[in-house]
Amino acid sequence: MFLSNKQDQYPHLAIYLRQAKERRRFSLSSPPVAAFVFLGLAFVIGVIAMARGAMSGLLGVLAPLALVGGWLYARKHEVKTHADLLHERADEVAKKMSDCLERRRLHRDLDEASLALIEECARQWHRTQLALGSPHWDRDDLPPHLQNVRDQCVRAADQGMDEVMLLFGPLLPAEVESRGFLDYAEEIAEGVFTSRKAVRPLPAAFEPARQVAEKLKLLASEVEKRTQTVSDSPNLRENLAAGRSVDLAIGELRQLDEAESELRQNLGG
């Protein structure tokens, strides 16, 4: 396929990379910005207060400084688990892979079999996300033990994709640059003269990633099975019958109309 590697060729991978990119941007930017904005406002307010009363103004400046300084120190020295560190590294790889995908060069950096495998991993990850986002798992009265199961499944799916990202990360370029004219020309030539297209050997990352794909598939199937079993229960079908809440609301409105009609008749009589 000429000049391939559009995002719609790898829809589930694109979804995963977009989510990982947003997660990384939020974790890196939001808290510090909010802290320094608060610090600046507190300092200005303290200076104004100091002009009116020395002691109150001094406290107005020092108290916010101490609070924000303590928060920043605690965040800097926050103890991160091994899983947290791997998650951060995987998000960095995901950002680089997203850049490669946007510049239509990912299929030049990775072989077709590896890309198909990564897309399959992302598809199974997405199956789990969709199932766990259903009303059964997202309701407010979900028992604590099921909340733990849901959270554990979410973490397991994310960690599976983290492993896949880390496996293929070393195969990506150190710096993601735009493709040159010669690379596009070579790809077109490979499409016209298929004999010129070299068969790329499978990387060492392929087999362990294939094993992760199998586990992600099993996880998604188990989550969907559990969700479907609960959805098929008679009690749930009764509570979630099609249009049941609408029917109840219509019935209430009709009863209200009848009551008002009877009241008007009584007043008129």
Side-chain angles (χ1 to χ4, degrees), residues 80-211:
K80 295 183 179 180
T81 65
H82 180 66
D84 292 334
L85 295 175
L86 291 180
H87 197 53
E88 291 181 359
R89 287 173 52 198
D91 280 351
E92 293 175 0
V93 175
K95 181 184 180 303
K96 183 180 292 188
M97 191 174 291
S98 178
D99 293 340
C100 292
L101 187 62
E102 290 175 358
R103 299 192 182 195
R104 296 191 177 187
R105 58 166 296 161
L106 187 57
H107 64 300
R108 307 294 283 179
D109 299 317
L110 299 177
D111 60 282
E112 293 181 3
S114 295
L115 273 176
L117 179 59
I118 298 173
E119 166 65 15
E120 177 62 16
C121 290
R123 187 176 76 86
Q124 302 302 335
W125 168 86
H126 194 233
R127 284 177 60 198
T128 300
Q129 301 296 319
L130 290 178
L132 293 175
S134 65
H136 164 61
W137 294 103
D138 200 35
R139 68 181 195 265
D140 295 333
D141 61 342
L142 189 67
H145 71 283
L146 290 182
Q147 293 180 20
N148 293 333
V149 171
R150 177 195 61 195
D151 296 343
Q152 184 178 358
C153 290
V154 170
R155 287 194 302 269
D158 287 342
Q159 289 174 2
M161 287 304 299
D162 287 348
E163 293 181 23
V164 174
M165 291 294 105
L166 294 175
L167 284 169
F168 287 101
L171 302 179
L172 299 177
E175 298 292 335
V176 181
E177 300 176 351
S178 299
R179 297 173 59 189
F181 172 77
L182 292 179
D183 190 37
Y184 281 110
E186 182 180 355
E187 182 179 357
I188 293 175
E190 290 175 354
V192 175
F193 306 102
T194 56
S195 59
R196 293 188 56 182
K197 188 172 183 179
V199 178
R200 301 167 66 177
L202 294 178
F206 187 88
E207 180 56 27
R210 187 192 64 79
Q211 296 176 11

Side-chain angles (χ1 to χ4, degrees), residues 53-65:
M55 184 58 67
S56 62
L58 183 61
L59 292 176
V61 173
L62 294 180
L65 283 173

Side-chain angles (χ1 to χ4, degrees), residues 57-75:
L58 183 61
L59 292 176
V61 173
L62 294 180
L65 283 173
L67 290 174
V68 177
W71 181 85
L72 291 174
Y73 179 85
R75 188 174 185 272

Side-chain angles (χ1 to χ4, degrees), residues 204-245:
F206 187 88
E207 180 56 27
R210 187 192 64 79
Q211 296 176 11
V212 174
E214 291 294 331
K215 294 179 181 179
L216 286 172
K217 181 179 180 180
L218 180 60
L219 174 64
S221 298
E222 289 296 325
V223 172
E224 288 179 344
K225 180 181 178 181
R226 169 67 185 179
T227 305
Q228 186 63 37
T229 300
V230 176
S231 300
D232 289 341
S233 65
N235 292 335
L236 189 61
R237 285 202 303 269
E238 181 180 353
N239 293 331
L240 299 180
R244 180 177 178 83
S245 60

Side-chain angles (χ1 to χ4, degrees), residues 254-267:
R254 288 176 177 174
Q255 290 179 10
L256 181 60
D257 289 340
E258 292 176 0
E260 291 178 348
S261 178
E262 290 179 1
L263 179 60
R264 285 193 295 268
Q265 291 177 1
N266 293 334
L267 291 177

